[in-house]
Every structure is written in C-alpha cells, then in structure tokens.
C-alpha cells in the first residue's frame, strides 16, 4: 500500500471564506467545490479511515459524503461550520457501511491498518516497546464502539469540543461526555494488562507522551 | 482523596476542567499513588497517540477532480427527471382537476334542479369492476341513456370523451393514468350522485325495490367493497 503521510496540518478555512465558497457552490461553481473539497478531504478521510480501517471503503464514504453535501447544499445552515456538516454526513454513512459490513462478514478489514507497518511506527518513538504500546493503543481504540471511537477521534484528533461532536453524532452533549468517559475506561482496562507485561512501563509512557 | 475518587476525576482532569482545591487534592494523590499515576499517564498517552496520528494514507490526486465532475454533472440530469415528471404528472394533474370540476363544480345547483331525473348510482353499473376508460365511458353512457335529460351526466360523458382522447394521444402513459382516473371518478360519482330519487320506498335493509337485482349483483360480483355498499350507506 502506498503509505504517504497525511498532510492534515493545514489551518482551518476562514469562516467568511468558507461561507463565500458555499454560496458559490450553491450555484454549481466548480472552483468553489474544488476549494471546499481540497480544504476538508484529508481530515475527513483520516477520520473515516480510522473508523473503517479500509482504504477503498473510506474513500467511497468520503466521496458519498461530499456528493450528498453538495446535493443538499441549499439546506446548509450557515450557523454551523461546513466541516461539521460534512463530518455529520460522513459519520452517518460510515455507521451505515459498518452495519452492512458486519451484517455480511462479521469481520473488519485490518489489512490496511497503518499501525502495523514498521516504517510508520518510527514516527512516534524509537523504542520497540513504545511502538508496541502505540500499536496496542490503536487496537484498543478499534475495539471501542463506533460512537465511542468517533468521539475519541473527533475529540483528540480533530480537536473538536463536545458541543460540535454532539452535532456530528446527532446526540446530546451529555451522551458525548458519556461516550468519552466510557471510552477512556475501556482503554484503561484494555491497556493496563499490556502495560503490566512491559518492562520499564513508566519510561515508555514518558517516551510516548513525548 | 482515595484511588476511587481520584479515578472519578480523570475525565475532568483530561478535559482541563479540574480547578481549585479539587485540582490540588487530585495532584497530591497522583504524587503519592503510583497506580493512579500510571493509569492517568496511560490515558494521556492514548490521547496523545490519537491526536498526533498522521498515518492515514493520502487520497489519490484525482479524488478532487472526480468529485467535482460528479457534483457538477448532476444538474444536467435533473432536467431530464423534471421533464419526465412533468410529462407524466401534468396529465395526471389535469385529470384530477377535471374530476374535481366535473363532480363538484356547481354540483348543488345542478343536483337540486335535477333531483327528479337523476337515477341512483346503481344505474352506472358499479356491480361490474371498471378498470379501463372505455368501461367507464360505457357506464356513463348507459346511465345517460336511462337519464337522457341529466345535464351532469351529459357533461361528464362529453368531457370524458374529449379529455381522455387528448391525454391518450399526448402521452404513452395516458391509458394507465386514465385507469386510475376512472376508478377515482367512479368513487366520486358514487358519493356525488344523489339517491333520493328511488322509484320505490327503501326496505328495512336499505335496498329499494326497483334496484334489488342490481344491488344483489353488486354484493355478489363486485370486487370494490365501497361500490358493494348500498347507496344510502355511501351518502
């Protein structure tokens, strides 16, 4: 697999610029659509890919989310960010796809899990044990329920607040906080035994915390 | 503070919402308790690993172009769908309007003027299942032959003839549309035609003498439950 590192570090689009592009996209302006896609595609893809762990499905979900967003762009509420709207659509499509996939196979596709790829692991920590812990962390994240996983990814990776996550997940804020609490508790339960086995766990944690 | 209390505050600490005395007590416990310290560090590291994840593969270069092409090509298809909807919907709308106009337009005045002449609905032959335009027109014409002076029936027969031929001539779907139209028209006719012109008094069951055979046929042969009911129940 072509594992290029994602370039997600670009600054969020200015609000007024975003609204201007949305207005133009409503008039089927191809350049405005292109700008909106380019501004959000990689963040969205990273989120969906982490939810789905399948490159092909994640790409299809992203395409679907963008097309649905553009098809219904007249109903876009300018009180929200375009990204929030896009993530809401993508999350809904992701859940549907996950349900279908589980109904069909009962299995997830782990073959494209980047954390199992040696060259990617070196980004975080030099030591083998730290890499192993990182891998275990991702495997534990993958064992969370879809809602818990989405909450963790949006909270930590996308740096979203509970209110915005609640909008995307279409649940109350209290439910988002509950997802986060349960997710942390589950991660702790899953990772504690792993850490017990590792020698020098405090050093590893220090290394990963960087 | 004990370990349980400390662990209950993990969320607040990780969300940076732990302040004041509670934050001090929490910090003091972490210094003294290696177990809580390790659990907290584990959660912090998990959050850090997720936050600094940049291992998702990149989308291919054509992704944006493909999407833009898809998104902008959709409107070109919309007019086709719209025109098809117009093509099928307009005759249907015309037929619906026609039904309303014919059946309800100035109905009270017409029925009051022709109370004596208008026959009960059974003369329209609703004991038979009507599924085509021709059957409907035949029924209306039969009714007209029995009530040649009924202006309402005359108008209905003429309008049906003109409009149905026009609709069938204009669209391929005209025939099927008119089937639906005829069923609707029948139902409306049953409701709209007054039945206070029986030639014999109704019996206890609501049947009238001259229509007994027709009513029996309706009850035996019709697949339309509404049509099978005596007119008195319909009105």
């Amino acid at each position: 697999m072509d594992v290029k590192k994602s370039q997600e570090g670009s600054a969020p689009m200015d609000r007024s610029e975003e609204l201007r592009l949305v207005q133009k996209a409503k008039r089927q302006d191809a350049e405005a659509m292109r700008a909106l896609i380019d501004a959000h595609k990689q963040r969205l893809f990273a989120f969906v890919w982490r939810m789905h762990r399948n490159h092909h499905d994640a790409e299809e979900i992203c395409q679907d989310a963008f097309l649905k967003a553009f098809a219904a762009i007249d109903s876009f509420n300018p009180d929200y960010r375009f990204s929030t709207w896009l993530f809401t659509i993508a999350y809904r499509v992701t859940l549907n796809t996950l349900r279908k996939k589980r109904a069909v196979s009962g299995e997830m596709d782990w073959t494209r899990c980047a954390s199992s790829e040696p060259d990617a692991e070196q980004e975080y920590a030099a030591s083998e044990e730290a890499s192993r812990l990182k891998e275990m962390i991702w495997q534990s994240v993958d064992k969370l329920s879809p809602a818990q996983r989405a909450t963790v990814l949006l909270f930590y990776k996308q740096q979203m607040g509970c209110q915005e996550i609640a909008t995307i997940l279409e649940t109350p804020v209290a439910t988002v906080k509950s997802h986060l609490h349960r997710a942390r508790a589950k991660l702790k339960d899953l990772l504690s035994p792993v850490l017990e086995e590792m020698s020098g766990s405090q050093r590893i944690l220090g290394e990963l915390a960087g | 503070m004990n370990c349980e209390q400390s662990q209950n505050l993990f969320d607040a600490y990780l969300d940076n919402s732990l302040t004041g005395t509670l934050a001090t007590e929490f910090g003091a416990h972490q210094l003294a308790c290696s177990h809580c310290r390790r659990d907290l560090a584990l959660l912090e590291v998990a959050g850090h690993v997720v936050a600094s994840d940049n291992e998702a593969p990149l989308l291919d270069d054509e992704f944006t172009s493909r999407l833009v092409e898809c998104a902008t090509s959709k409107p070109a298809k919309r007019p086709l769908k719209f025109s098809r909807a117009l093509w099928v919907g307009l005759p249907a709308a015309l037929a619906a309007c026609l039904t309303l106009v014919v059946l309800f337009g100035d109905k009270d005045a017409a029925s009051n003027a022709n109370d004596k002449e208008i026959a009960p609905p059974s003369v329209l032959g609703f004991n038979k299942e009507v599924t085509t335009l021709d059957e409907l027109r035949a029924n209306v014409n039969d009714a007209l032959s029995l009530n040649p002076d009924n202006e309402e029936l005359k108008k209905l027969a003429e309008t049906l003839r003109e409009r149905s031929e026009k609709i069938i001539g204009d669209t391929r779907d005209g025939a099927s549309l008119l089937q639906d139209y005829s069923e609707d028209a029948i139902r409306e006719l049953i409701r709209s035609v007054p039945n206070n012109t029986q030639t014999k008094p109704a019996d206890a069951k609501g049947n009238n003498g001259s229509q007994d055979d027709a009513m029996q046929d309706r009850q035996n042969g019709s697949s339309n439950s509404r049509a099978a009911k005596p007119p008195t129940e319909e009105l």
Side-chain angles (χ1 to χ4, degrees), chain A residues 128-178:
Chain A
E128 193 179 322
E129 282 183 319
S131 295
R132 189 176 153 223
L133 179 60
K134 190 173 84 56
E135 186 179 333
M136 294 308 297
I137 286 170
W138 278 117
Q139 285 184 13
S140 302
V141 168
D142 290 333
K143 285 177 184 167
L144 300 173
S145 73
Q148 289 170 356
R149 204 180 334 150
T151 304
V152 165
L153 292 171
L154 294 172
F155 185 83
Y156 285 111
K157 176 65 187 161
Q158 305 296 336
Q159 306 277 305
M160 290 179 181
C162 289
Q163 181 64 57
E164 190 173 8
I165 297 171
T167 306
I168 290 170
L169 269 52
E170 297 173 296
T171 57
V173 175
T175 308
V176 171
K177 288 181 177 172
S178 169

Side-chain angles (χ1 to χ4, degrees), chain B residues 85-104:
Chain B
L86 193 67
W87 185 245
V88 174
L90 190 59
L94 278 172
C97 289
L98 172 66
T99 306
L100 289 172
V101 168
V102 167
L103 297 176
F104 297 109

Side-chain angles (χ1 to χ4, degrees), chain A residues 2 4-7 28 30 33-34 37-38 41-42 45-46 49-50 55 59 62-63 66-67 70 114-115 120 124 134 137-138 152-153 155-157 181 184 188 191-192 195-196 202 205 208-209, chain B residues 7-8 10-12 14-15 34-35 37-61 63-68 70-75 78:
Chain A
D2 176 28
K4 295 178 276 187
K5 298 290 162 107
S6 60
Q7 305 297 315
Q28 299 295 311
M33 288 180 179
R34 185 179 295 278
I37 294 168
D38 283 339
K41 68 178 181 184
Q42 204 54 52
F45 180 72
W49 182 77
R50 277 294 181 196
H55 188 284
E59 190 171 327
C62 285
Q63 281 182 15
F66 273 112
L67 289 176
F70 287 132
S115 56
Y124 286 102
K134 190 173 84 56
I137 286 170
W138 278 117
V152 165
L153 292 171
F155 185 83
Y156 285 111
K157 176 65 187 161
H181 174 74
R184 283 166 175 159
K188 187 161 67 70
L191 290 168
S192 288
L195 212 57
E196 293 287 346
Q202 292 295 338
L205 288 173
L208 279 167
Chain B
Q7 304 232 346
N8 284 338
F10 277 8
D11 281 314
L14 293 168
D15 298 341
S34 62
H35 179 72
R37 196 164 58 238
R38 196 205 62 171
D39 282 354
L40 187 61
L42 188 58
L43 290 178
E44 285 184 304
V45 166
H48 176 75
V49 166
V50 174
S52 56
D53 169 45
N54 63 351
E55 293 177 11
L58 285 174
L59 286 163
D60 67 68
D61 296 338
F63 180 84
T64 304
S65 304
R66 277 201 313 271
L67 259 181
V68 170
C70 277
T72 51
S73 67
K74 273 194 169 178
R78 279 181 194 146

Side-chain angles (χ1 to χ4, degrees), chain B residues 141-160:
Chain B
N141 288 336
D142 285 347
L144 194 59
S145 66
L146 292 171
N147 302 271
D149 298 324
N150 188 315
E151 291 301 319
E152 205 170 38
L153 285 171
K154 277 185 197 172
K155 276 187 214 167
L156 179 60
E158 182 59 17
T159 316
L160 271 176

